[in-house]
Amino acid sequence: MVIFAAATIKPLNQPFFTKAFSLIAIIFIGIILGNLLLESIARLYGLQIHSEDDLFEYLKNARYTPMIKIALGINHFIIFVCCPLLFLYIFYREDIRSFLTMKHFNPLYILLFPLALFTLYPLMGFIAYYVAKLDLPDFLIQMDQKALANIGHLMIMNNSTDLILNILLIGILPGIGEELLFRGVIQKEILKKWNRPHLAIWSTAIIFSAFHYQVIGFIPKMMIGLVLGYAFFYSGSLILPMVIHALNNILATVSFYFSGDNFNTESMPTENIPLSAVIFSTILFGWLMYFIISLSNQTPVRDE
């Protein structure tokens, strides 16, 4: 079986919780710097931003949309790329390449894991539909609505320039940055601490979902995180979850652009998915994962 290359990483003296608190502190500083950058760029254009709501409200104005999306992209780059790399530089200065395991993998995984993710979408929609019917506390409902509203503002695309910016902002940057942080750092650190791959994958998927600040979408986002986590585990390469994550987001963005629909938070989820479709797709997902596991057992471990 292909296993994480954690065994190839030189043991460090720093305790796990020291590194965990350091990562949190680095990300917190990154968020502050990113927000200061956003505010500085906004001031150059004469915009007054007092909260996140003000920022996303300006996205409705086509005049400011490119500038704000570029600023958001830089902000995302600081938090999800620069912060993890700074963490790695501090704790793995001489072994970053080995830690990240950016190496080749079985090309079949490029087909199998996206298919597995696709077969999970009916179950995700089924779960989200019924979670939306729960009598949730008001603050959770407001948090969910705010997150969806922000996504709605980002998904406004009036021309091809907006589409290209969204492919970069919603597809490529999260694919690289979020996987670098969650699978490349957090999942690996949890694995190194407890040496339990499934614990590392599930814990990281929960953290990954929580970062999206969605209630209705919490379990679906966690399921996506699980697929990405197992893609990293069975391939032994961080490149695979990066590619899957980016492709998933890019396909959704491009499909949305050509559909010509408006993102309506009131219509999510829009309908109940038939139970038969959920059962069939879930069984197909199980078969695909069984095939992936069987394939990984036949793949020799490669250290590069």
Side-chain angles (χ1 to χ4, degrees):
M1 176 184 291
V2 175
I3 303 176
F4 275 142
T8 66
I9 298 172
K10 299 174 184 178
L12 300 177
N13 295 325
Q14 292 85 350
F16 170 80
F17 290 105
T18 297
K19 289 186 285 185
F21 284 122
S22 298
L23 180 61
I24 292 171
I26 290 170
I27 292 175
F28 181 74
I29 294 171
I31 291 173
I32 293 176
L33 292 176
N35 288 338
L36 288 174
L37 177 65
L38 282 172
E39 186 174 350
S40 299
I41 294 175
R43 287 182 179 275
L44 288 176
Y45 283 80
L47 306 181
Q48 296 294 323
I49 297 179
H50 303 289
S51 67
E52 187 181 67
D53 293 334
D54 295 335
L55 177 67
F56 284 97
E57 192 67 24
Y58 280 118
L59 281 172
K60 295 180 180 179
N61 189 327
R63 176 185 176 187
Y64 303 118
T65 298
M67 176 272 295
I68 292 178
K69 287 188 175 181
I70 291 172
L72 286 171
I74 296 173
N75 182 55
H76 193 288
F77 183 82
I78 291 173
I79 297 170
F80 290 99
V81 177
C82 295
C83 289
L85 288 178
L86 177 59
F87 171 86
L88 292 175
Y89 180 77
I90 293 172
F91 292 101
Y92 300 94
R93 187 172 308 176
E94 299 177 357
D95 214 11
I96 294 178
R97 185 172 180 271
S98 175
F99 187 92
L100 289 177
T101 59
M102 306 281 284
K103 59 183 183 180
H104 298 294
F105 54 88
N106 191 325
L108 274 177
Y109 289 141
I110 285 288
L111 174 64
L112 293 173
F113 273 103
L115 280 176
L117 181 58
F118 177 77
T119 58
L120 271 183
Y121 273 100
L123 179 58
M124 294 180 197
F126 184 82
I127 293 172
Y129 178 82
Y130 283 100
V131 171
K133 290 184 173 295
L134 296 177
D135 187 16
L136 299 170
D138 290 340
F139 77 95
L140 289 179
I141 295 175
Q142 292 173 3
M143 183 179 71
D144 204 61
Q145 290 176 342
K146 181 179 179 181
L148 289 174
N150 290 342
I151 294 173
H153 296 325
L154 281 175
M155 293 300 287
I156 296 175
M157 292 175 282
N158 299 313
N159 49 55
S160 57
T161 300
D162 289 337
L163 174 61
I164 293 172
L165 287 174
N166 271 13
I167 287 175
L168 292 172
L169 180 62
I170 300 174
I172 296 175
L173 267 176
I176 296 174
E178 291 182 15
E179 293 311 301
L180 180 62
L181 174 61
F182 293 106
R183 258 58 63 176
V185 173
I186 296 175
Q187 185 167 310
K188 288 290 289 288
E189 286 292 347
I190 295 175
L191 177 67
K192 280 166 55 63
K193 170 62 178 177
W194 284 284
N195 197 28
R196 297 174 62 184
H198 300 293
L199 172 65
I201 292 167
W202 281 76
S203 300
T204 305
I206 292 172
I207 297 170
F208 169 76
S209 182
F211 257 73
H212 289 81
Y213 301 104
Q214 294 182 20
V215 179
I216 295 174
F218 182 86
I219 295 179
K221 287 289 190 299
M222 185 187 74
M223 293 167 72
I224 293 173
L226 288 173
V227 172
L228 295 170
Y230 280 107
F232 185 25
F233 175 65
Y234 286 117
S235 70
S237 174
L238 186 61
I239 296 174
L240 181 61
M242 284 182 171
V243 171
I244 295 170
H245 194 152
L247 283 176
N248 180 70
N249 289 8
I250 289 171
L251 287 173
T253 301
V254 173
S255 298
F256 186 85
Y257 175 76
F258 286 106
S259 71
D261 293 330
N262 291 321
F263 191 93
N264 185 1
T265 58
E266 299 296 328
S267 64
M268 294 187 63
T270 57
E271 60 181 353
N272 185 16
I273 298 173
L275 182 60
S276 58
V278 174
I279 293 174
F280 174 78
S281 62
T282 303
I283 292 174
L284 184 56
F285 169 78
W287 180 84
L288 284 168
M289 289 305 300
Y290 175 80
F291 184 74
I292 288 170
I293 293 170
S294 300
L295 184 64
S296 71
N297 289 330
Q298 303 169 16
T299 305
V301 178
R302 296 174 58 183
D303 294 323
E304 299 183 4

